[in-house]
Amino acid sequence: MTSLGGAEMVDWKLAVATATRLVRPGPDISRDEARAVVAELRKHAKASEEHVRAYTRMIPEGTELQDTPVLVVDRTGWVKANVAGFRELLRPLLGKMQERRGSTPGGAVLGAVGGKVTGVEVGMLLSFLSSRVLGQYETFAPGSRDLPAGENGGGRLLLVAPNIVHVERELEVDPHDFRLWVCLHEETHRTQFTAVPWLRDHLEGEIQAFLGETEVDPMTVLERLREAAQSFAGGRPDGEEDEGGRSLVELVQTPAQREILGRLTAVMSLLEGHADYVMDGVGPQVVPSVAEIREKFQQRRAKGASRLDLALRRLLGMDAKLRQYKDGERFVRAVVEEVGMDGFNRVWTSPNTLPTKSEIAAPADWVARVHRKGEA
């Protein structure tokens, strides 16, 4: 990104350095054990391709899709990959803010300081998240020598080995079953994006529309943050309705952004719920202890690690993500029961066949709109 006054709006290198310094150490494991975990995760990722394709029927037999790499990474590797993704997604917004800063007296000097402050904040956030993510299909990040990606904007599948080992030990489940179970979930995400060519561009378009509505006037941003802080502190102005415990991310949005956020929430609920449905559907065939794993994993998701963890989850909107898993899985299950897997797969036809936020909560409405209209 071209920078004014030699400083970017976010000091990305400082973000990586901060996260790397603060990231928690992984579980105690020998070098030989670590090599074995990495090898097994790669093997399970490969095996998951066939299992997910057969179960979802999203990819016709014999179809060759663009290859996207599977990367087994540590927590620092996950941080570096996500910084690259954030930088790419936020490029248009930060460019717009940079132009605004350049027209402000002293803007370059303030920007240099602000970029470092924001870099530290981003690094702190990523260090917190880096010990909690088991895997991720990264859709938008460009490839690099250390972290390759698919060609022509293709993504990459990340499996965070130390976090997978940590959770399997914490839950006291069969490690081999758990590793395959995680791979099934993440491979479903890879299948979604490789089998549905328009999905990546649609999602990116929605995100860019959301960012494009962002207020770049500093006073407006500060006012929205003040309102958000008052809501969390229980000190909102008289006469205003309760925000219902929404996250800071939601509270600072404009009305137009909230509409876009509703559509994004529906898509993410679909993607996450579909992955959960598939991992549990395939599970009994290839993961003998899948019922035990699911039960223990759900309990872990629900309770969080500590009071601080719960507070941060709420502030960052991560509790909303947990609802997406449940609501999305319930939607997929209800639709498959009603119209079968092939009938459900109409959801991938075009952006117009994606469920709305209200349809996620009422699957019969989606069936009526997409199936009965098409059959009329």
Side-chain angles (χ1 to χ4, degrees):
M1 184 188 302
T2 301
S3 58
L4 300 175
E8 292 188 66
M9 296 295 295
V10 180
D11 189 329
W12 297 108
K13 289 184 179 179
L14 184 57
V16 172
T18 300
T20 301
R21 185 173 67 253
L22 296 178
V23 71
R24 297 178 181 178
D28 186 18
I29 187 171
S30 71
R31 183 169 298 182
D32 287 344
E33 288 175 312
R35 288 197 187 102
V37 170
V38 170
E40 185 172 20
L41 286 172
R42 286 178 176 151
K43 182 186 73 172
H44 285 331
K46 183 64 179 176
S48 294
E49 290 184 34
E50 182 179 343
H51 297 316
V52 170
R53 286 190 180 200
Y55 190 80
T56 64
R57 300 204 289 274
M58 292 177 65
I59 303 172
E61 190 172 349
T63 301
E64 289 295 328
L65 297 178
Q66 178 185 7
D67 187 39
T68 53
V70 176
L71 308 179
V72 181
V73 298
D74 59 12
R75 291 169 178 175
T76 300
W78 180 87
V79 166
K80 291 178 179 178
N82 276 266
V83 163
F86 285 152
R87 188 172 188 169
E88 188 69 18
L89 268 184
L90 295 176
R91 190 180 296 272
L93 172 63
L94 295 182
K96 184 168 67 171
M97 295 179 71
Q98 198 134 1
E99 289 176 8
R100 176 68 62 90
R101 188 190 73 192
S103 63
T104 303
V109 175
L110 291 173
V113 175
K116 292 190 179 300
V117 171
T118 308
V120 170
E121 291 171 341
V122 170
M124 293 173 65
L125 172 62
L126 289 172
S127 71
F128 169 75
L129 295 174
S130 67
S131 62
R132 286 157 174 77
V133 176
L134 301 182
Q136 172 186 356
Y137 185 75
E138 196 180 35
T139 316
F140 304 111
S144 66
R145 183 172 59 183
D146 296 332
L147 295 165
E151 297 180 1
N152 301 318
R156 57 191 173 205
L157 181 60
L158 306 177
L159 297 169
V160 191
N163 296 349
I164 293 172
V165 173
H166 171 78
V167 174
E168 70 192 26
R169 290 180 178 180
E170 179 186 330
L171 298 182
E172 297 181 338
V173 294
D174 183 282
H176 309 294
D177 284 2
F178 184 75
R179 293 166 195 173
L180 177 54
W181 189 69
V182 170
C183 288
L184 289 170
H185 182 102
E186 303 308 331
E187 177 58 35
T188 302
H189 284 317
R190 184 162 70 155
T191 298
Q192 291 163 349
F193 283 94
T194 53
V196 185
W198 54 264
L199 183 58
R200 179 189 183 276
D201 288 342
H202 172 72
L203 195 57
E204 184 176 17
E206 290 282 60
I207 292 171
Q208 292 303 334
F210 180 87
L211 295 175
E213 291 289 335
T214 298
E215 301 281 0
V216 294
D217 176 63
M219 293 307 295
T220 303
V221 173
L222 287 174
E223 178 64 18
R224 292 192 176 278
L225 288 171
R226 182 189 65 81
E227 293 172 0
Q230 286 178 334
S231 176
F232 276 100
R236 65 184 183 280
D238 292 340
E240 288 191 8
E241 295 183 2
D242 189 351
E243 295 285 0
R246 290 185 298 171
S247 72
L248 179 61
V249 173
E250 292 174 287
L251 285 169
V252 297
Q253 305 314 328
T254 66
Q257 283 177 310
R258 288 178 185 171
E259 287 187 22
I260 300 170
L261 187 62
R263 296 197 296 270
L264 281 169
T265 298
V267 175
M268 298 311 297
S269 296
L270 170 69
L271 298 180
E272 296 294 356
H274 183 236
D276 263 15
Y277 179 82
V278 171
M279 73 193 296
D280 286 348
V282 174
Q285 307 168 38
V286 295
V287 183
S289 59
V290 64
E292 177 193 2
I293 291 173
R294 168 55 71 188
E295 181 180 1
K296 290 183 175 181
F297 195 74
Q298 288 289 76
Q299 292 172 355
R300 182 181 185 274
R301 264 184 186 171
K303 71 180 183 181
S306 65
R307 291 182 64 183
L308 174 62
D309 195 54
L310 288 171
L312 285 169
R313 275 178 19 185
R314 180 186 177 196
L315 180 66
L316 297 173
M318 293 168 69
D319 53 344
K321 184 174 177 64
L322 298 181
R323 289 196 298 274
Q324 289 173 9
Y325 286 104
K326 290 195 300 183
D327 295 345
E329 195 275 343
R330 193 180 301 119
F331 170 83
V332 175
R333 185 173 300 279
V335 171
V336 172
E337 288 176 354
E338 178 72 17
V339 297
M341 185 65 77
D342 292 331
F344 165 78
N345 281 339
R346 285 199 192 180
V347 78
W348 312 116
T349 303
S350 76
N352 293 329
T353 56
L354 292 172
T356 64
K357 190 175 179 181
S358 62
E359 287 172 341
I360 287 288
D365 291 350
W366 180 86
V367 172
R369 177 172 68 87
V370 173
H371 281 266
R372 291 167 195 167
K373 180 186 292 187
E375 294 163 4

